[in-house]
Amino acid sequence: MAAVQWRSRGRDYDAELQRCRPEATPVEFGDYHPLKPIMVTDTKTRRGTRKGSTSSSSSSSSSAPSDPLSSMLDGTDPLSMFAAASATETSAMPHTSSTGEPGRKKREKQDEAVGSDFEPWSSKRGEILARFTTTEKLSINLFMGSDRGKAPNPGSSAVSEKVRTRLEELDDLEEGSQRELLNLSQQDYANRIEELNQSLKEAWASDQKVKALKIVIQCSKLLSDTSVIQFYPSKFVLITDILDTFGRLVYDRIWTMCSDTRPLPECFTLDDVNDTAKETCLNWFFKIASIRELLPRLYVEAAILKCNHFLNRSGIQETLLRLTAMIRGVGDPLVAAYARAYLCRVGMEVAPHLKECLNKNFFDLLTTFRQISGDSIQKQLLVQRVEVPEYLTLYSPAINWILQCIAYRAAESLLTEMMERCKTLANNALLLNSVMRAFRPEFVAVRAIDFISMIKDCDESGFPKHLLFGSLGRSLACADPPESERLTILNEAWKVITKVRSSQDYINCAEIWVEFTCRHFTKREVNTVLADIIKHMTPDRAFEDAYPQLQSVMGKILTYSHDFSVLFSMERFLPFLDMFQKDNVRVEVCKSIMEVFIKHQVEVTRDPVILNAMLHICKTMHDSVNALTLEDEKRSLSLLIIGFIRMVSFGRDFEQQLSFCVEARATFCNLEPVLVQLIHTVNQLAMETRRVMRGNHSRKTAAFVRACAAYSFITIPSLSSIFSRLSLYLLSGQAALANQCLSQADAFLKAAVSILPEVPRSINVEGKLRSSENFLLDFINNFLATLLVVPDHPEHGVLYLVRGLLNMVQDYTWEDNSDAKVHVYISALPLLAAMSQETYLYSIPNMDSNETLYGGDPKFLSEINKLCETLIGQILDHLKTLTRDESVRRQSALAFSLCAAVLAHGDLRNNKLSQLTINLWNLSHKHGHCETRVSVQTLEHIKHQAQQPGMAHLLDTVQRLTLQSRT
Amino acid sequence: MSVTLDIRLKRANKVYHEGETVSGVIVLSCKEAMQHHGISLSMEGIVNLQLSSKSVGVFEAFYNSVKPIPLISSNIEVAKAGKIPGGKTEIPFEFPLHTKGNKVLYETYHGVFVNIQYTLRCDMKRSLLAKDLSRNCEFIVHSLPQKAKPVSAPVDFTITPDTLQNIRERSSLPKFLIRGHLDATNCEISRPLTGEVMVEKSDVPIKSMELQLVRVETCGCAEGYARDSTEIQNIQIAEGDVCHGLSIPIYMIFPRLFTCPTLETTNFKVEFEINVVVVLHDDHLITENFPLKLCRT
């Protein structure tokens, strides 16, 4: 093929722009426009005429747009109508027989329901199980053999063996078999109990009611065993689960017996219960009443307390009071306390309005308190080697629960009375603790001073005071004491806390009080508190065992103080931070600080205190990165550090900012995203300088922007990702150009070109290997666009960079069977065409591009044309290789893009060029792989172009471009 | 070919009083029609007496079992020989609870040496090839309320080492003071026995406190009788070293069937007693005995 002669078409960009600008047409009010708000007028007709509809006909007639969903909810939909109807039916039915007036009933019903503000037992369960643990071996003794082995009671004369067995039948699980499981670990124990729970359910399901009862009795017997006393609260939790199951089973059974013919309504009366059900229920109570041992009798009867509903009205109240009195017979105060807790729990569930029994329980509890110091308990503790303070804490779940039940919606006066009673008792620390935990925080808060003086009056030996202050602190964290008392409270409390000797106890307590301090006081107090914590936790590296608490302290401080200048100006804050010496904890803490910082620091800052501290924190995070750090972790750390860098601004002091970036680069060299951010920051800095100088740099600023460029130039090579490097080179080059740093810009662009060969053919995108070709093409196009304004280097030849790039492209090892290289060539044509214009499409202010350098020098133009011709020659050569069947499609596409490029940028007055266009057109249509729609549009565009002044010659060409008719 | 025979009483609790009518149905269910030689139903109430081997010699006890005392007896023929259809057949029946002469219907009582029992028995005679079927069903008789209301007067008690009888070494006894009261010893059988007990002081810790319900049965007549007391049930009311000075409730429900209103006849007697038992930690056993008079009102 003869060499093609290239002539670029002359362009008048301004005129073209003028022609292209679309006319703005105003949108009429009524017209449709996608961005206009939608107004729908509500024209719904009422459907209230439906027969039997009792629903209110309050269909909305407001002007608000109607929502089809909400209109379903206003009661006219069939489902809610049925529901409403059946509700009235069922509520009407049972009252035909009952004599009670409905109003009263309703109120009772409301009283009975325990609100959601009552913390349920289920939420305490886990806490107790987690807290009261033991490593000692436990034993389960199912079937107390003592009865059997004992000699016959001298008091009773001959008892026939037959009757005896019959009576004792209830006592043993499997006749004559004693199962004693020794040496159980805590987990084994829990598993055994769970097994028993399962076998209870199985026995029940297989109609072995007596066996079920036996299991329950045996289990509740375990509660009288206080060996391994530390585990008792957990044991209580496990076993009462079984009791609850049993209670539910019995109740449900009797319920279904009543619902034989028709389901029993929710609030049934005695008349609804049939005789068989009553008899069954009575049988249960008789059976339970004959259980020999006190504790099982007590627990099992409490478990089925709810069944009293089936027998009589006042049964529950009487039973509760009777059982309350019965607990007095339990000698061990701990066992008794838990029995009371269970009774209160059942009572609250079944009849929360019956407060009397709760109070009675509490007062009985108070009376039996003196037993704790009695001989038998002391002896027991000695044997089990349990300290009194530890023993006392075993009580807290039970007492807390009882008090919580009492305090629930209780009158202020009652609480005051309770408090008075506690005061009168000598050893009241345990109680006081429970009062503070169970009563409403508001109630405690207003009397905080009172409480403090009471705590002081407690004797030290029994219950540790730091626990008391811990409880008080917990209340004060939720409710505010009167303003005037706050400082006194803090002082008084801290006086005691600071004297706590054990560091673990100390930090547990201090952690709670930090919240109160942060909430109400300034940094001075918080600082003092921190100083105290440091003082206590530093000796013997006590902080090592208290990281969770220390972290929580940090968390609380961060929750309440968002002003970081205040925070970091606290002398003790950073020393406090230094206590986190375990690496992962330290990083965790730093991250939490950073998160709060990013969230709450709204304005950029230059405060040296903040910057120093933050740099320190960020450095800690950065330094935690090592070869084993997960990608994700790195990413999140980088994000946090980037967040900080973006918050730093020295305002007009650009040099300072740059030196900050220098320092940051040194500090965060291992985290690439941070480096990338730093380069962006510096580029932005350069552009900001330019803006301030309005484009005209002084000597000083020019030097500064060069420094910025230098910064970027030496930072970029340290990045490992090739595409970050490429794009940053380009970006920095652009920034340098904008700042008239020609040689720097040159260096950037040259560097970019020189690393092009390093681009791998495939890269890892989101864990998958992908071909890098598209990314590379994108970059090269972007790069080419920049090259338009880059003036040629005086020492190098014409179009040095363009040639360099094209050479690189040629030498690059493209994928086999790839047209990427040719695509680059084709996209270089528009650049070259644009370069040969008299006035360039765009230029950089205060910067001379080639247009002014060469001023349309014919030599320059002919260089360009030669280059174009070479490119076209290369492209045509390539096209020729694509003649085989499988590649004709590619050939057609390439030919079409080249054709389009020539049409748009070539000067078609030149016959050869015009002939080339036609040949390419025909080639692309030869195998019918062209999309007709695109061809038609192209033709139309050219026809349109031909009508522009000076383009008439196009018409000739167009006429020779024929559309291939589809067959 | 299986057939089941069942007696169902109308009352779920099976409790009847003298003068009332025991009513119910005989339920027959079989897969197909069945031939039989007549179905009869009988009601019987008897007192069974037995002499304990302790009071008399073993052989005497065996041979000289006192004759049972019939209280009531009647018999009706439910169906003549014939055929019953397949499926479930219910035949209703009624027995009036009337005694002949001046006999009294004692309350149902299951004891050791005295048993008062009322049963319904249904018999179905069948051909030689098939076994006869029969079915027993116990029903419970409660005596009519007594006219005279029992006078309920609380009974106070105090137990100290000095109040104790039949002990060997009074000197070895630890010191203790236990006070209490029973709300009544004339008890209504359907109401629980109540009272309070309080340990005021005790040198030795207390191990357990129990309530022991004892039946005292007497068989025979003036010339020779056997009197035996046996335990009915034992209920623990306190476990472990209870708090001193705190009153502990005494509470016991009289078990059904095993108790009845105190009964005194020419041939036998049924009486009840309650023992308040205190076991000390050194296994000293202290018992305070109270005779009870049970009645039904």
Side-chain angles (χ1 to χ4, degrees):
Chain A
M1 186 182 273
V4 186
Q5 274 197 342
W6 175 266
R7 295 286 178 277
S8 298
R9 178 161 70 93
R11 307 281 292 265
D12 184 348
Y13 293 116
D14 285 344
E16 280 180 40
L17 185 64
Q18 279 303 321
R19 283 203 301 276
C20 295
R21 195 158 282 164
E23 286 168 60
T25 48
V27 179
E28 284 298 312
F29 177 74
D31 287 354
Y32 167 80
H33 190 277
L35 297 181
K36 250 175 68 170
I38 300 170
M39 303 275 268
V40 177
T41 332
D42 187 10
T43 54
K44 194 175 65 145
T45 51
R46 292 192 181 181
R47 288 179 288 169
T49 50
R50 194 176 299 199
K51 188 185 162 207
S53 158
T54 51
S55 62
S56 67
S57 54
S58 66
S59 82
S60 69
S61 54
S62 66
S63 59
S66 84
D67 171 10
L69 284 180
S70 63
S71 72
M72 289 308 281
L73 294 177
D74 66 356
T76 46
D77 78 305
L79 279 183
S80 52
M81 230 167 61
F82 283 133
S86 66
T88 51
E89 245 176 81
T90 45
S91 62
M93 257 193 333
H95 290 306
T96 49
S97 54
S98 74
T99 49
E101 48 190 303
R104 196 180 54 110
K105 250 203 146 95
K106 206 172 231 171
R107 207 187 56 236
E108 263 177 23
K109 182 84 189 147
Q110 273 169 357
D111 279 350
E112 275 175 32
V114 181
S116 57
D117 49 340
F118 186 77
E119 193 186 355
W121 174 257
S122 51
S123 68
K124 306 255 180 195
R125 238 189 119 249
E127 190 191 320
I128 295 176
L129 282 179
R131 195 172 139 206
F132 296 97
T133 56
T134 182
T135 48
E136 300 212 14
K137 293 297 177 196
L138 302 160
S139 65
I140 298 182
N141 192 351
L142 294 176
F143 170 45
M144 308 289 247
S146 57
D147 262 2
R148 282 290 187 92
K150 207 163 70 177
N153 260 343
S156 67
S157 39
V159 176
S160 100
E161 195 53 35
K162 182 184 136 214
V163 178
R164 208 186 163 85
T165 10
R166 195 192 292 173
L167 285 169
E168 280 176 1
E169 210 169 89
L170 290 175
D171 276 3
D172 52 355
L173 190 57
E174 275 159 45
E175 208 109 9
S177 80
Q178 176 175 351
R179 289 204 292 167
E180 188 168 13
L181 304 161
L182 294 166
N183 281 332
L184 296 173
S185 76
Q186 188 182 324
Q187 187 55 44
D188 291 341
Y189 194 93
N191 292 344
R192 296 313 289 232
I193 299 283
E194 181 50 35
E195 270 171 36
L196 281 174
N197 203 354
Q198 284 310 318
S199 51
L200 166 66
K201 284 181 193 161
E202 277 162 28
W204 189 268
S206 57
D207 223 34
Q208 295 172 279
K209 305 279 152 61
V210 176
K211 187 180 174 198
L213 182 59
K214 279 179 191 167
I215 293 176
V216 176
I217 292 173
Q218 295 302 326
C219 287
S220 24
K221 249 188 222 176
L222 295 175
L223 282 175
S224 61
D225 172 22
T226 53
S227 57
V228 195
I229 205 159
Q230 308 91 314
F231 184 62
Y232 192 82
S234 294
K235 182 157 84 173
F236 170 79
V237 168
L238 293 172
I239 289 173
T240 50
D241 279 353
I242 294 189
L243 288 167
D244 288 344
T245 312
F246 178 71
R248 219 168 26 245
L249 288 173
V250 174
Y251 186 84
D252 291 348
R253 167 93 187 103
I254 298 173
W255 173 276
T256 41
M257 285 175 84
C258 301
S259 322
D260 230 8
T261 45
R262 65 190 165 79
L264 209 57
E266 195 55 50
C267 49
F268 56 92
T269 58
L270 287 178
D271 301 325
D272 297 328
V273 182
N274 61 35
D275 284 347
T276 330
K278 272 184 192 160
E279 190 59 25
T280 317
C281 203
L282 260 178
N283 256 328
W284 278 113
F285 282 114
F286 271 111
K287 235 176 245 176
I288 290 165
S290 66
I291 297 173
R292 207 195 85 80
E293 273 158 318
L294 174 64
L295 211 60
R297 188 152 25 97
L298 191 71
Y299 269 105
V300 179
E301 183 161 6
I304 65 162
L305 182 70
K306 205 179 174 189
C307 295
N308 274 299
H309 276 310
F310 296 111
L311 290 181
N312 46 35
R313 279 188 160 280
S314 55
I316 290 188
Q317 187 171 10
E318 285 162 14
T319 314
L320 273 175
L321 288 175
R322 182 165 53 77
L323 291 179
T324 305
M326 222 161 111
I327 297 177
R328 292 178 167 193
V330 180
D332 190 309
L334 185 68
V335 177
Y338 276 92
R340 291 185 194 286
Y342 184 67
L343 195 60
C344 290
R345 186 170 124 199
V346 177
M348 276 310 266
E349 233 166 75
V350 177
H353 54 282
L354 299 176
K355 294 278 186 192
E356 194 189 343
C357 119
L358 299 175
N359 296 350
K360 245 186 140 63
N361 262 313
F362 184 65
F363 295 144
D364 274 359
L365 185 77
L366 294 190
T367 329
T368 55
F369 248 52
R370 58 170 186 266
Q371 276 184 289
I372 294 174
S373 47
D375 286 344
S376 10
I377 297 299
Q378 295 300 330
K379 245 183 248 164
Q380 199 189 354
L381 295 184
L382 208 64
V383 172
Q384 297 206 27
R385 276 170 307 204
V386 174
E387 297 284 322
V388 175
E390 191 192 347
Y391 174 69
L392 286 179
T393 53
L394 297 178
Y395 282 87
S396 14
I399 300 180
N400 286 352
W401 177 261
I402 296 174
L403 278 171
Q404 188 195 330
C405 293
I406 292 176
Y408 179 65
R409 292 193 183 159
E412 197 90 330
S413 57
L414 176 72
L415 303 187
T416 322
E417 190 198 332
M418 295 280 171
M419 207 167 129
E420 288 306 315
R421 276 188 186 246
C422 297
K423 268 187 199 171
T424 56
L425 272 163
N427 181 10
N428 54 8
L430 173 58
L431 218 56
L432 201 55
N433 185 40
S434 296
V435 166
M436 287 187 292
R437 298 196 73 161
F439 285 9
R440 286 189 292 271
E442 297 80 21
F443 175 86
V444 178
V446 271
R447 291 170 183 72
I449 296 275
D450 271 0
F451 274 106
I452 287 182
S453 69
M454 279 161 73
I455 294 173
K456 279 187 180 161
D457 293 343
C458 291
D459 69 356
E460 181 68 47
S461 66
F463 200 78
K465 278 189 183 168
H466 64 89
L467 286 183
L468 291 173
F469 273 104
S471 304
L472 181 60
R474 216 162 277 146
S475 291
L476 293 182
C478 310
D480 302 338
E483 184 131 29
S484 53
E485 295 174 4
R486 286 175 192 169
L487 191 61
T488 333
I489 294 172
L490 182 65
N491 281 333
E492 291 294 332
W494 210 268
K495 239 187 259 169
V496 179
I497 298 169
T498 194
K499 282 187 199 133
V500 177
R501 251 174 268 119
S502 144
S503 59
Q504 201 63 32
D505 293 343
Y506 168 81
I507 191 66
N508 279 332
C509 192
E511 176 215 335
I512 298 165
W513 277 86
V514 164
E515 176 143 11
F516 177 71
T517 318
C518 292
R519 231 161 106 116
H520 302 298
F521 297 98
T522 58
K523 71 166 192 182
R524 207 184 111 229
E525 286 81 6
V526 178
N527 193 37
T528 320
V529 167
L530 283 182
D532 197 55
I533 293 181
I534 294 170
K535 199 178 96 199
H536 275 82
M537 301 309 287
T538 315
D540 300 331
R541 298 178 69 78
F543 50 79
E544 285 182 341
D545 300 323
Y547 284 135
Q549 289 92 332
L550 291 175
Q551 265 180 295
S552 141
V553 169
M554 181 61 91
K556 281 169 185 162
I557 293 177
L558 289 175
T559 327
Y560 287 100
S561 49
H562 296 148
D563 187 341
F564 279 78
S565 59
V566 173
L567 192 62
F568 289 128
S569 63
M570 271 192 272
E571 269 172 42
R572 294 295 166 178
F573 185 78
L574 288 180
F576 178 71
L577 192 59
D578 282 338
M579 285 211 290
F580 297 96
Q581 294 194 349
K582 199 170 149 198
D583 273 346
N584 53 359
V585 180
R586 197 174 167 77
V587 173
E588 211 51 50
V589 172
C590 288
K591 274 167 91 170
S592 63
I593 297 177
M594 281 312 297
E595 268 154 22
V596 176
F597 178 81
I598 290 173
K599 196 164 158 202
H600 293 287
Q601 184 76 25
V602 195
E603 287 177 2
V604 291
T605 179
R606 56 181 301 174
D607 183 337
V609 179
I610 297 186
L611 291 191
N612 271 328
M614 278 321 220
L615 261 180
H616 173 73
I617 290 168
C618 289
K619 185 167 162 42
T620 312
M621 296 201 295
H622 168 266
D623 291 350
S624 74
V625 173
N626 55 31
L628 294 177
T629 312
L630 294 174
E631 228 20 71
D632 241 15
E633 174 75 4
K634 276 193 204 164
R635 204 167 10 238
S636 77
L637 289 179
S638 305
L639 273 180
L640 290 174
I641 298 179
I642 289 173
F644 160 62
I645 291 175
R646 288 161 68 103
M647 276 301 156
V648 178
S649 165
F650 292 87
R652 281 295 187 88
D653 194 346
F654 293 142
E655 290 186 6
Q656 180 87 44
Q657 180 103 32
L658 183 62
S659 64
F660 169 78
C661 287
V662 172
E663 193 186 340
R665 180 178 60 192
T667 319
F668 307 124
C669 57
N670 285 333
L671 291 172
E672 269 190 28
V674 180
L675 293 183
V676 172
Q677 172 64 33
L678 283 171
I679 295 168
H680 283 305
T681 311
V682 169
N683 281 335
Q684 196 190 5
L685 199 59
M687 293 312 282
E688 191 68 9
T689 318
R690 180 176 175 275
R691 194 181 60 81
V692 169
M693 300 306 290
R694 292 167 211 270
N696 297 310
H697 283 297
S698 66
R699 264 175 78 104
K700 205 176 152 200
T701 56
F704 176 72
V705 290
R706 279 199 287 277
C708 290
Y711 178 95
S712 304
F713 192 72
I714 55 168
T715 312
I716 294 171
S718 61
L719 300 176
S720 69
S721 155
I722 186 93
F723 279 103
S724 324
R725 243 144 77 196
L726 282 173
S727 59
L728 283 173
Y729 271 134
L730 180 59
L731 195 72
S732 309
Q734 286 164 342
L737 273 179
N739 283 301
Q740 299 127 37
C741 306
L742 273 182
S743 52
Q744 282 78 5
D746 238 22
F748 278 119
L749 298 178
K750 242 192 266 179
V753 171
S754 64
I755 60 165
L756 265 185
E758 291 172 31
V759 176
R761 285 209 287 184
S762 50
I763 51 166
N764 200 342
V765 180
E766 285 164 6
K768 285 182 209 148
L769 271 189
R770 291 264 208 83
S771 155
S772 65
E773 199 173 277
N774 284 331
F775 295 96
L776 190 56
L777 283 183
D778 277 352
F779 171 75
I780 292 178
N781 285 340
N782 196 354
F783 194 84
L784 286 171
T786 312
L787 284 183
L788 177 66
V789 289
V790 183
D792 279 342
H793 195 281
E795 287 167 19
H796 300 291
V798 178
L799 300 178
Y800 169 70
L801 278 172
V802 181
R803 282 175 203 278
L805 177 69
L806 291 175
N807 286 338
M808 281 302 180
V809 169
Q810 187 162 23
D811 296 341
Y812 184 76
T813 42
W814 296 96
E815 272 177 67
D816 304 335
N817 294 324
S818 154
D819 302 324
K821 185 163 75 175
V822 182
H823 279 299
V824 175
Y825 289 162
I826 295 175
S827 43
L829 286 177
L831 168 72
L832 293 167
M835 280 181 151
S836 51
Q837 303 301 320
E838 270 174 48
T839 327
Y840 284 0
L841 180 55
Y842 44 87
S843 61
I844 296 171
N846 297 333
M847 255 281 297
D848 294 334
S849 313
N850 284 339
E851 57 175 335
T852 29
L853 281 187
Y854 298 108
D857 186 358
K859 255 182 166 173
F860 174 63
L861 290 183
S862 72
E863 278 293 324
I864 290 179
N865 290 344
K866 251 192 240 163
L867 196 53
C868 287
E869 283 153 19
T870 325
L871 285 179
I872 291 176
Q874 295 261 349
I875 298 168
L876 292 179
D877 287 346
H878 183 75
L879 281 178
K880 275 183 210 155
T881 62
L882 298 174
T883 46
R884 264 176 302 158
D885 279 354
E886 64 270 21
S887 49
V888 284
R889 181 181 286 274
R890 278 161 57 200
Q891 186 191 44
S892 140
L894 277 180
F896 193 78
S897 11
L898 181 59
C899 172
V902 176
L903 272 173
H905 301 285
D907 186 354
L908 294 190
R909 279 173 296 197
N910 179 312
N911 274 337
K912 283 211 171 154
L913 220 44
S914 156
Q915 185 58 46
L916 174 70
T917 321
I918 292 155
N919 290 345
L920 283 171
W921 178 272
N922 291 337
L923 179 64
S924 64
H925 285 79
K926 193 162 127 195
H927 297 285
H929 288 302
C930 249
E931 237 186 283
T932 325
R933 203 160 53 93
V934 182
S935 310
V936 172
Q937 273 172 3
T938 316
L939 279 181
E940 249 157 45
H941 174 73
I942 298 167
K943 277 177 194 158
H944 180 73
Q945 286 250 301
Q947 281 156 19
Q948 307 299 333
M951 302 291 275
H953 59 275
L954 275 179
L955 274 177
D956 290 345
T957 323
V958 172
Q959 275 155 11
R960 294 165 63 188
L961 300 180
T962 50
L963 267 180
Q964 198 181 37
S965 58
R966 282 253 165 127
T967 49
Chain B
M1 194 175 76
S2 66
V3 58
T4 55
L5 188 65
D6 200 8
I7 304 172
R8 277 191 207 151
L9 290 171
K10 219 173 197 173
R11 291 187 187 168
N13 57 7
K14 300 183 179 177
V15 174
Y16 295 87
H17 298 90
E18 189 173 348
E20 288 179 337
T21 306
V22 181
S23 59
V25 284
I26 296 168
V27 183
L28 291 157
S29 56
C30 50
K31 288 220 175 77
E32 41 200 88
M34 196 192 59
Q35 199 72 38
H36 66 90
H37 293 294
I39 303 171
S40 65
L41 185 68
S42 63
M43 175 177 75
E44 201 166 46
I46 46 169
V47 181
N48 270 310
L49 299 177
Q50 201 184 0
L51 294 177
S52 79
S53 55
K54 214 169 70 177
S55 308
V56 280
V58 177
F59 289 99
E60 262 179 295
F62 189 71
Y63 291 110
N64 284 10
S65 288
V66 190
K67 270 191 189 160
I69 308 163
L71 294 174
I72 194 168
S73 168
S74 56
N75 200 339
I76 47 170
E77 187 170 40
V78 179
K80 288 213 165 65
K83 219 174 185 184
I84 51 164
K88 196 164 142 189
T89 313
E90 289 190 359
I91 308 167
F93 64 84
E94 278 189 348
F95 275 112
L97 270 181
H98 284 305
T99 49
K100 282 178 195 134
N102 55 358
K103 276 188 176 162
V104 194
L105 287 184
Y106 304 130
E107 193 161 321
T108 301
Y109 167 72
H110 292 193
V112 182
F113 304 108
V114 179
N115 264 300
I116 307 172
Q117 211 169 0
Y118 296 84
T119 47
L120 287 172
R121 183 187 164 94
C122 177
D123 287 296
M124 181 203 267
K125 289 201 178 66
R126 293 207 281 178
S127 60
L128 286 171
L129 291 172
K131 262 191 185 168
D132 290 355
L133 282 177
S134 88
R135 183 87 186 175
N136 275 327
C137 170
E138 182 175 4
F139 67 94
I140 295 154
V141 170
H142 278 181
S143 52
L144 292 170
Q146 284 154 4
K147 271 152 207 132
K149 293 271 179 228
V151 197
S152 64
V155 181
D156 292 324
F157 62 88
T158 308
I159 316 173
T160 63
D162 301 328
T163 63
L164 298 180
Q165 298 156 0
N166 71 68
I167 34 170
R168 266 156 276 163
E169 300 162 69
R170 200 173 289 271
S171 57
S172 71
L173 269 182
K175 283 210 166 43
F176 57 84
L177 170 58
I178 297 166
R179 282 178 200 281
H181 69 266
L182 292 177
D183 288 334
T185 48
N186 281 342
C187 300
E188 222 251 283
I189 195 164
S190 59
R191 313 273 315 156
L193 171 83
T194 54
E196 275 182 342
V197 61
M198 174 160 71
V199 181
E200 299 212 332
K201 64 171 200 266
S202 166
D203 287 354
V204 176
I206 287 171
K207 194 176 178 187
S208 173
M209 279 203 253
E210 286 151 27
L211 291 179
Q212 189 183 38
L213 181 64
V214 173
R215 52 170 102 73
V216 183
E217 294 162 317
T218 316
C219 301
C221 45
E223 54 265 32
Y225 63 89
R227 187 171 191 273
D228 294 284
S229 46
T230 47
E231 180 188 282
I232 301 175
Q233 73 175 5
N234 192 348
I235 295 264
Q236 191 184 36
I237 55 167
E239 183 188 16
D241 191 15
V242 290
C243 189
H244 295 184
L246 195 65
S247 59
I248 295 159
I250 290 175
Y251 182 90
M252 179 190 270
I253 293 176
F254 294 112
R256 296 185 294 187
L257 301 179
F258 300 112
T259 51
C260 66
T262 306
L263 193 59
E264 209 166 322
T265 69
T266 45
N267 296 331
F268 64 96
K269 277 200 277 190
V270 180
E271 293 155 307
F272 300 92
E273 289 175 357
I274 194 94
N275 287 326
V276 176
V277 184
V278 179
V279 188
L280 298 181
H281 220 273
D282 50 10
D283 279 337
H284 271 104
L285 197 101
I286 305 154
T287 306
E288 185 81 6
N289 178 273
F290 303 91
L292 295 179
K293 190 162 169 55
L294 300 185
C295 60
R296 193 174 288 281
T297 56

